[in-house]
Amino acid sequence: MTQKIDTLCVQAGYQPKRGEPRQMPIIQSTTFKYETSDQMGRLFDLEDAGYFYTRLQNPTNDMVAARIAALEGGVGAMLTSSGQAANFFACFNICEAGGHIISTSSIYGGTFNLLDTTMRKMGIDITFIDQEASDEEFEAAFKPNTKLLFGETLTNPNVRVLDIERLAKIAHKHGVPLIVDNTFPTPVNCRPFEWGADIVTHSTTKYMDGQGVQVGGCIVDSGNFDWMAHADKFPGLCTPDASYHGLVYAEKFGKAAYITKCTTHLMRDLGSIQAPQNAFYLGLGLQTLHVRVARHCSSAQTVAEFLQNHPAVKWINYPGLKGDKEYERAQKYLPNGSCGVMAFALKGDRDYANRFMDALKLITIETHVADCHTCILHPASHTHRQLSDEQLLEAGVAPDLMRLSIGLEAPEDIIEDIKNAIAIADNK
């Protein structure tokens, strides 16, 4: 029986047997004991499944990863130390020096920097393109060494909706996977695999945790991309790996080849593992994800409608608003709601925006987003301040954009705080 997402949030990944703990246990151990040398050796050769060192895998992490894989409808998943590590591993698993990545330009500033600065230094070429560019413009961006197409389901910070189905078709036409960061909607509101995406990433620090108590990330493999059909593009998956005695991942692990290589190769060598304690906190957060996301969306809709009608507001991006230019696309991909995050600007200069933010009492100025506390940020001054004005515009971040993340407080109290802060900003 196919279980509903609500049930998967609570039950997937861990089913205790007689006398075992009802809650997922924390296996806080670096190493694991075996009876014979041969048993351990078979683990290192990937001949047997099991645990021998937490840098590669840990039972608590794997139980939580299995829950996220079930939520997304994937064949497997791997937890990482952060969402940034998840996006790096997801790309680097199939794109090395000499490769080329196409990414939509309107993405989180940290991910933009990862691709544009760090991965360029690693010898990887990057092309950024507006996600609303025509099919022909996307087609022109592909090169013989292109390895993947990357985008965000809901962009951070300007909250635009990715046309997943269209980009998946374009990527597949050129024999490469579509990787989608699904952090903001979570699988409760969007499952990108159902629209053709091949790999999904998450910053589990956000809604999946929901309390702001752990930093983490996750990569989920759909198992749908045929690596061997494009073996010349993906030698890491389709040719022998000398570090595992000539094993070929795509031949030995089939649909789980990508996520297996990510774990046994990248996590082995780079070690960005999520701590079991953090994975435990994440597992607790996932149990209420379906309840919290619905409340975030409901409250955000109320606040967005208030802002849409306020005379001090210059513009607002929130795909749940009927006047939003991407409302129809949101109805396709996000019919149950998008998330609790919106972007807006007030009429006035940057000083006015700063006076407004400084006057807020209930809403806090934070780098964080997408948890139970309502918070606000001015990306041009904070998360994206390392970008030039030209790069800001390329990333779709207007200088006056403020990112507002609606928490679990009463929406009436959030609105009252905004009203009061505007009044104070007006009088200074």
Side-chain angles (χ1 to χ4, degrees):
M1 182 182 71
T2 302
Q3 294 179 326
K4 302 291 186 184
I5 200 123
D6 309 48
T7 303
L8 295 174
C9 282
V10 179
Q11 296 275 0
Y14 176 60
Q15 293 296 323
K17 299 180 179 65
R18 179 182 175 184
E20 293 182 340
R22 172 59 272 185
Q23 277 294 353
M24 195 179 289
I26 307 170
I27 309 301
Q28 194 69 45
S29 180
T30 58
T31 53
F32 301 83
K33 176 183 180 292
Y34 288 88
E35 300 297 331
T36 69
S37 175
D38 181 64
Q39 288 174 345
M40 181 69 77
R42 288 181 65 80
L43 293 173
F44 274 92
D45 285 344
L46 305 184
E47 292 298 329
D48 287 345
Y51 302 96
F52 52 90
Y53 198 56
T54 282
R55 186 179 80 242
L56 278 90
Q57 286 179 288
N58 175 281
T60 304
N61 293 33
D62 280 1
M63 287 184 279
V64 176
R67 180 171 295 174
I68 297 173
L71 290 170
E72 286 286 9
V75 297
M78 180 183 80
L79 299 188
T80 61
S81 57
S82 68
Q84 195 77 326
N87 281 332
F88 171 61
F89 277 28
C91 295
F92 194 59
N93 197 37
I94 52 174
C95 188
E96 302 169 350
H100 173 241
I101 292 171
I102 300 173
S103 172
T104 56
S105 55
S106 185
I107 56 175
Y108 167 58
T111 308
F112 190 100
N113 259 2
L114 168 67
L115 296 172
D116 195 43
T117 302
T118 301
M119 295 191 79
R120 283 193 195 277
K121 290 180 179 178
M122 298 170 70
I124 297 170
D125 187 22
I126 312 293
T127 297
F128 292 101
I129 186 167
D130 188 325
Q131 66 187 44
E132 298 306 317
S134 67
D135 289 4
E136 291 74 22
E137 290 173 293
F138 269 101
E139 298 276 359
F142 281 85
K143 303 177 181 181
N145 61 336
T146 301
K147 305 295 184 179
L148 64 98
L149 176 57
F150 179 87
E152 294 177 351
T153 312
L154 279 171
T155 60
N156 180 7
N158 58 355
V159 203
R160 299 290 78 191
V161 183
L162 189 70
D163 193 345
I164 302 170
E165 188 172 33
R166 179 174 79 99
L167 295 195
K169 288 177 180 177
I170 293 171
H172 296 161
K173 180 179 177 180
H174 290 269
V176 303
L178 173 64
I179 299 179
V180 174
D181 185 326
N182 198 36
T183 295
F184 274 4
T186 82
V188 172
N189 280 345
C190 184
R191 287 163 45 111
F193 295 156
E194 295 175 355
W195 299 102
D198 301 288
I199 310 296
V200 159
T201 62
H202 287 277
S203 170
T204 62
T205 316
K206 310 304 190 298
Y207 287 121
M208 283 188 167
D209 166 13
Q211 318 301 317
V213 296
Q214 63 86 37
V215 174
C218 186
I219 304 168
V220 189
D221 183 2
S222 71
N224 293 332
F225 194 84
D226 189 345
W227 304 104
M228 290 301 289
H230 310 283
D232 58 322
K233 280 186 173 288
F234 306 105
L237 286 163
C238 303
T239 59
D241 183 346
S243 67
Y244 281 112
H245 308 296
L247 174 150
V248 178
Y249 293 97
E251 291 178 353
K252 185 172 181 64
F253 298 105
K255 286 182 173 295
Y258 172 92
I259 203 67
T260 302
K261 178 181 180 293
C262 210
T263 303
T264 59
H265 178 197
L266 296 189
M267 194 60 80
R268 177 197 66 189
D269 293 351
L270 300 176
S272 297
I273 192 72
Q274 186 169 139
Q277 184 78 41
N278 279 8
F280 174 76
Y281 292 141
L282 172 57
L284 292 179
L286 289 171
Q287 291 182 149
T288 59
L289 181 64
H290 57 297
V291 179
R292 291 184 289 102
V293 165
R295 174 58 187 264
H296 283 294
C297 290
S298 172
S299 294
Q301 185 70 26
T302 300
V303 175
E305 289 173 1
F306 161 76
L307 289 172
Q308 186 181 40
N309 296 310
H310 197 288
V313 175
K314 186 191 302 183
W315 58 263
I316 178 169
N317 286 350
Y318 188 68
L321 293 171
K322 288 189 177 179
D324 191 275
K325 65 181 181 180
E326 293 183 9
Y327 176 79
E328 293 302 325
R329 186 180 295 173
Q331 293 305 295
K332 173 180 176 177
Y333 292 112
L334 305 154
N336 297 319
S338 55
C339 66
V341 182
M342 63 194 71
F344 76 104
L346 296 173
K347 297 173 182 176
D349 57 16
R350 184 174 294 194
D351 182 59
Y352 180 84
N354 287 332
R355 293 202 307 272
F356 163 75
M357 288 192 293
D358 291 347
L360 293 166
K361 302 299 181 185
L362 183 149
I363 301 169
T364 54
I365 302 171
E366 293 183 34
T367 311
H368 201 225
V369 67
D371 72 12
C372 61
H373 299 91
T374 297
C375 54
I376 196 167
L377 193 75
H378 182 232
S381 299
H382 306 134
T383 54
H384 289 61
R385 69 182 295 127
Q386 73 278 10
L387 302 183
S388 66
D389 287 348
E390 183 178 292
Q391 288 174 317
L392 280 170
L393 292 173
E394 186 180 0
V397 180
D400 56 358
L401 183 153
M402 286 182 281
R403 184 187 68 187
L404 178 63
S405 176
I406 304 301
L408 298 179
E409 306 93 345
E412 296 83 1
D413 292 337
I414 297 169
I415 289 171
E416 189 64 25
D417 195 35
I418 293 171
K419 285 181 179 177
N420 292 338
I422 289 174
I424 292 171
D426 284 340
N427 292 325
K428 282 190 177 180

